């Protein structure tokens, strides 16, 4: 069975602080995908990244960066110089590589960035 | 990313009534997925809908309560039947798009309140 754990329920930071959201996963699959989504108060899910289990390179996209550590089954997400617009719930998710598989979501981390 | 048009975006319904949520994808997809997100919670898979066959329901969800139709490769509906206040949630549909960076695309969600 697949499982995604986001131990941080809520994080509060002040604007311009860096913040890391943790994600730990469990799977028996040798190949899998990991995802991060942002859910603003409006409710829609915004895709941030998808990472194949074979690709352990860290990724940077603007103020966002992701650290994939297969040895510790972690896929952590860092926001550098946070902004108020980053306030949202962030979900980490896991799927098998087939499009016939479903996404397993973590419980989410609510990030509150205050001015 | 591929577009899923989901309707309605929100509704307030009386207990005991039913609501049908529609999702239209802008291209053909094999699998569609329906999720429920209860207030302050993560996304929980209700069922997987494959065109031409009955939907596959997850534990805790039954067809009588959440009937799903999938008449073609671009459309699906979820009905929430005999509603109670406990059904107040965000309902999201999703589809897998092979060959894309994001993999899974999501509708914008239906925010349902049962009074």
């Amino acid at each position: 069975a697949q499982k995604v754990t986001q131990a941080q329920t809520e994080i509060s930071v002040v604007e311009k602080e860096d913040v890391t959201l943790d994600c730990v996963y469990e799977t028996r699959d040798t190949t899998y995908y990991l995802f991060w989504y942002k859910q603003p108060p409006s409710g829609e899910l915004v895709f941030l990244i998808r990472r194949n289990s074979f690709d352990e390179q860290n990724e940077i996209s603007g103020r966002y960066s992701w650290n994939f550590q297969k040895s510790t089954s972690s896929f952590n997400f860092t926001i550098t110089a946070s902004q108020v617009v980053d306030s949202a719930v962030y979900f980490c998710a896991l799927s098998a590589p087939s499009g016939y598989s479903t996404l397993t979501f973590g419980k989410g981390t609510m990030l509150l960035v205050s001015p | 990313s591929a577009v899923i048009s989901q309707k309605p975006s929100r509704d307030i319904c009386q207990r005991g009534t039913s609501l049908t949520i529609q999702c239209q994808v802008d291209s053909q997809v094999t699998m569609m997925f329906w999720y429920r997100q209860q207030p302050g919670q993560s996304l929980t898979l209700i069922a997987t809908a494959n065109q031409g066959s009955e939907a596959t329901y997850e534990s805790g969800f039954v067809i009588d309560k959440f009937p799903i139709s999938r008449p073609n490769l671009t459309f699906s509906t979820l009905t929430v039947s005999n509603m109670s206040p406990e059904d107040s949630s965000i309902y999201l549909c999703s589809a897998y798009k092979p060959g894309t960076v994001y993999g899974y695309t999501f509708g914008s969600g239906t925010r349902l309140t049962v009074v």
Side-chain angles (χ1 to χ4, degrees):
Chain A
Q2 297 183 329
K3 184 178 179 181
V4 176
T5 300
Q6 294 179 257
Q8 304 150 309
T9 304
E10 184 174 318
I11 300 175
S12 293
V13 299
V14 177
E15 218 172 10
K16 298 184 182 178
E17 285 186 18
D18 298 346
V19 58
T20 295
L21 283 61
D22 297 334
C23 174
V24 175
Y25 62 92
E26 297 175 29
T27 180
R28 294 179 181 173
D29 295 323
T30 54
T31 305
Y32 48 89
Y33 284 110
L34 293 162
F35 302 77
W36 275 96
Y37 294 92
K38 174 182 180 179
Q39 188 178 45
S42 54
E44 78 273 21
L45 276 180
V46 178
F47 169 81
L48 296 178
I49 190 171
R50 179 174 74 162
R51 176 50 52 91
N52 187 303
S53 55
F54 287 123
D55 182 2
E56 291 194 65
Q57 282 194 340
N58 292 332
E59 178 146 347
I60 298 174
S61 177
R63 296 184 297 107
Y64 296 168
S65 62
W66 290 269
N67 184 352
F68 179 28
Q69 297 274 352
K70 206 168 182 179
S71 59
T72 57
S73 298
S74 65
F75 187 44
N76 296 337
F77 172 34
T78 297
I79 301 175
T80 302
S82 59
Q83 300 177 0
V84 173
V85 294
D86 295 327
S87 296
V89 179
Y90 291 85
F91 290 99
C92 181
L94 169 69
S95 80
S98 166
Y100 296 93
S101 63
T102 61
L103 282 165
T104 298
F105 285 88
K107 291 186 181 296
T109 297
M110 178 177 288
L111 175 64
L112 300 173
V113 183
S114 56
Chain B
S1 61
V3 174
I4 299 183
S5 175
Q6 183 172 345
K7 297 178 181 179
S9 59
R10 60 177 62 234
D11 208 341
I12 301 174
C13 300
Q14 296 292 322
R15 67 174 66 205
T17 63
S18 298
L19 176 71
T20 295
I21 302 168
Q22 301 180 1
C23 280
Q24 177 77 52
V25 191
D26 66 350
S27 60
Q28 294 183 344
V29 293
T30 303
M31 305 295 289
M32 292 188 71
F33 310 93
W34 286 96
Y35 292 88
R36 180 177 73 180
Q37 186 180 21
Q38 294 177 300
Q41 302 297 313
S42 185
L43 284 78
T44 301
L45 181 68
I46 297 172
T48 301
N50 194 3
Q51 191 266 336
S53 61
E54 279 200 7
T56 301
Y57 289 82
E58 297 298 300
S59 175
F61 297 96
V62 295
I63 188 171
D64 289 345
K65 176 67 175 178
F66 298 101
I68 289 171
S69 77
R70 185 81 202 277
N72 57 53
L73 291 173
T74 63
F75 188 76
S76 181
T77 67
L78 169 76
T79 299
V80 186
S81 303
N82 188 23
M83 288 184 285
S84 67
E86 292 70 36
D87 294 319
S88 297
S89 299
I90 297 175
Y91 293 86
L92 295 109
C93 61
S94 175
Y96 182 76
K97 297 285 289 183
T100 62
V101 171
Y102 50 86
Y104 297 87
T105 187
F106 288 84
S108 55
T110 297
R111 192 179 295 267
L112 171 63
T113 302
V114 183
V115 297

